[in-house]
Amino acid sequence: MSRGDERIVAAADSAARQVVGRVVVCAGTDLVDVDDIRALLARQPRFAQRHFTAGERAYCLLERDPAERFAVRFAAKEAVLKALGTGLSGAALREIEVVRRHSGQPELALAGRAAALAEAAGVHSWLITLTHTRHLAHAFVAGVGQPA
């Protein structure tokens, strides 16, 4: 197993431990090839504008090569839609935003149809973990309901 693969496995294990003792109503995960996102960004300049919020774009573009940051956020958006059971057609990807707390920890902010789907599913809040290497980006999300 490569060092990058070990990081992905460790992140998945960490994510699984975060949900213990919580009322998880849905969960989703996604793995994205960073080179695919890099190619999309080069081939389709409007890709970032169509699928990422202004805040996400600003954060990703701080890096000389923003592909890793875009890829992991794309994985998070897909993971949310998988968790909600809709796939990519469920809501616009810009309605799902990965924001950073002051601590650096990622957090999800949903709007529009994505927020309505989460509410209908009984999701009160989200747990999210992100990790990426130069080649792979992984996201795991869990929708947490109200305690019984």
Side-chain angles (χ1 to χ4, degrees), residues 41 45 48-49 52-70 73:
L41 291 166
Q49 285 182 310
F52 298 92
T53 66
E56 288 173 316
R57 291 190 310 271
Y59 175 73
C60 293
L61 293 171
L62 290 173
E63 289 293 313
R64 186 175 59 88
D65 178 11
E68 291 174 22
R69 288 181 173 184
F70 277 120
R73 279 157 183 74

Side-chain angles (χ1 to χ4, degrees), residues 105-122:
Q105 182 179 4
E107 186 174 63
L108 288 170
L110 275 60
R113 181 153 166 73
L117 288 167
E119 184 177 341

Side-chain angles (χ1 to χ4, degrees), residues 4 7-8 32-36 38 64-65 67-69 71 131-137:
R7 284 182 52 202
I8 300 271
V32 172
D33 186 302
V34 175
D35 288 336
D36 289 349
R38 187 176 291 111
R64 186 175 59 88
D65 178 11
E68 291 174 22
R69 288 181 173 184
T131 190
H132 59 81
T133 66
R134 288 189 322 235
H135 304 289
L136 295 173

Side-chain angles (χ1 to χ4, degrees), residues 26 77 80-81 83-84 86-97 108-123 126:
C26 59
K77 293 166 186 274
V80 167
L81 292 174
L84 294 173
T86 66
L88 284 176
S89 63
L93 293 180
R94 280 196 335 202
E95 294 178 344
I96 303 164
E97 182 177 18
L108 288 170
L110 275 60
R113 181 153 166 73
L117 288 167
E119 184 177 341
V123 175
W126 291 92

Side-chain angles (χ1 to χ4, degrees), residues 122-144:
V123 175
H124 177 261
S125 62
W126 291 92
L127 298 172
I128 177 173
T129 185
L130 307 173
T131 190
H132 59 81
T133 66
R134 288 189 322 235
H135 304 289
L136 295 173
H138 176 260
F140 175 84
V141 302
V144 179

